[in-house]
Amino acid sequence: MKKRGIIIVFLLTGLAFAAYSQNAKQMIKAGQKFMAGQKYEAAVEQFTRAIDVDPNIADGYMARAAAYEALLKFNEAHADLEKALVFAPKNAEVLYRLGKMCNLMGRYDEAIVHLNRVTAIDKRHKTVYPEKVITLMGLGRHDQALRTSDTALLLKTDANNLYYRGLVYLKLNNDILAKKELEKSIAKDKNLMAPRIALVDVLIREGKVGEALGQCNTMLSRDDKNTAAYTARSKVYVASMDFPNAINDISKNIVIEPDNPDHYLLRGQYYAQFSQHSNAVNDFSKYITLVPDDYRAYFERAKAYEETMNYDRAIADYQKITELSEFNMEARKQLKEAEERLFELNRETTPPEINLVSPIPSENIINVRGDSNSMLITGKITDRSAVTLRINDEEIQVAQKSGVFEFAANVDVTGLNSIALVATDAYNNIKTMNFELRRTETNAPRITIVAPYASDNNVIYLDNNNQLQSFAGKITDDSRLKEIIVGGVTASYNREALNPTFNAANVDVLNKNKITVVAEDIYGNITETEFTLNRDAANLAQDNPMGKTWAVFIENSDYTTFASLEGPTKDINLMQRALGNYQIHNIIHKTNMTKQEMERFCSSELRDQIRENNGKSLMIWDAGHGKFINDVGYWIPV
């Protein structure tokens, strides 16, 4: 019973494989119907389904390769034929098809291997020899191609084999025998167009333009959409110097095949020969759009640009040639000749134009920091030809960008009172610019914060706990300011004013105990000052009925003409402790003030700070010598 069960399993498995195979063949059959109706995409879909059902079916790969070939998808077709060869390694038809596909792809070295295997399997294979003729011509082995064509004709004397033999003679530059074989091919099959196309070229070379025209008209009478025939007839017209008709024939080709780049290239060449260079440029440009990597078209267009005197674009095309064909010596030769031609055509007498970007001179004067030994000079030079630049007799590197030459040089100015820039173009036109060097001051800016109040020891007393604070201040400097930054925020100020005031809004002080203020003047002198943020006053309750309250302590003890005092320090400390129970928003502590300092502080500094900080209440405690005169009390400065 066990053995019988095994037999049944094998039988069922065999039936399953038979069913799969049957389904695959049905799908191949359906795909072939699509092929017959030229529905190649649908055919590919059916053949793919067949392969999915039976991945080992060589016919499926062969059939799909034919569909891919019809769709001009040669890489896919080649891959399928190689898979078919895996399942049928000695199948002459598979090898032949693979060799033919390699010819279509220009892979002649690979093609000859496959085609030689075909003849090794079947020496009388009638279609392999014509294909080998194509391969051998592609390899440049024309003598072998001629012998192979003899074998092809022995097996079958048809129009195609006679045509191939004629092509071999053309490759061997034997027009007489080539013409003979081509005429035999035409006699064998009057509907075969290829030998007539080849014969037209032979007749043109013989000067028999009438016969050549007759061959073209015969082809077009049988197929008025034959682009090869129109192309051949256009060549006949060119041989007769009838460029309008030649251009008209290629225009017909473009209507029939608008995406074929070869038509645009040929019509552009005809336009150029007919001296219609603007039209030629348009056609060459269209060809380049379709085939962007063919250097030949750039060369053709460059010549057309030269004829229209558009030299800049011609040079751009010549330069593109060397990018696309770096090791093509012919291209380099053409480029060199063109450059020499254009060099003379572009000869001019206008000197280069130099524009300094940094530093910006004023009336031929350049400012330089008084303590600097070097200076960065950047600028641009405009000229139609290549330029060189020297600064103080030192050659400076320039870089061309969009037709402008840019430079940046760190120039040694030690002990110098002037610099000279000399630009020379390819035609030896010279531009010289001389600049006087003026040494600038080296003093750094001085920073003062006036709101919120800041003490002499760089403590800023904030009067609220807002995350974003505004700061006002003043910069004192011998020069104009280039930039002021407060806590990372760029401040606003009058850039034309000396010693300007500034304002910086929305400075983020959240979780910060310090901020840095940076001031830089136009000569690069920089000051960075760090300020400590004091939030004691901000933390006082906001419902103080006295409003924003400030306390000022003046502690004068070290007198020069009166006895020094020890009490003021103790008195100030007692008062400060006493005020700890009250809502005081800001405390200012001044010590040992002279008469001038006290007058300036009370009459201007304190007044301005109170106003700017919206102070409502002020208490001033003076600890020091005092005197009443006529019922008026006076504080005595140190």
Side-chain angles (χ1 to χ4, degrees), residues 1 14 64 70 85 113 166 168 175 177 180 196 224 226 235 316 365 372 393 425 461 491 509 543 555 580 583 614:
M1 289 296 292
R64 192 168 68 177
L85 190 62
V113 173
V168 176
D175 280 2
L177 291 180
K180 181 179 177 181
R196 291 183 187 272
D224 63 354
N226 189 326
K235 294 178 182 178
I365 296 174
S372 292
D393 292 328
D425 67 13
Y461 294 89
V509 297
D543 59 349
E555 178 189 342
Q583 296 176 353
N614 196 26

Side-chain angles (χ1 to χ4, degrees), residues 153 157-166 178-196:
L153 284 167
T157 307
D158 65 1
N160 268 320
N161 286 339
L162 288 166
Y163 164 63
Y164 287 133
R165 187 177 176 84
K179 181 180 179 183
K180 181 179 177 181
E181 298 300 325
L182 294 172
E183 287 174 339
K184 285 181 185 178
S185 175
I186 294 168
K188 279 277 185 185
D189 185 353
K190 298 189 185 309
N191 293 320
L192 190 63
M193 299 295 181
R196 291 183 187 272

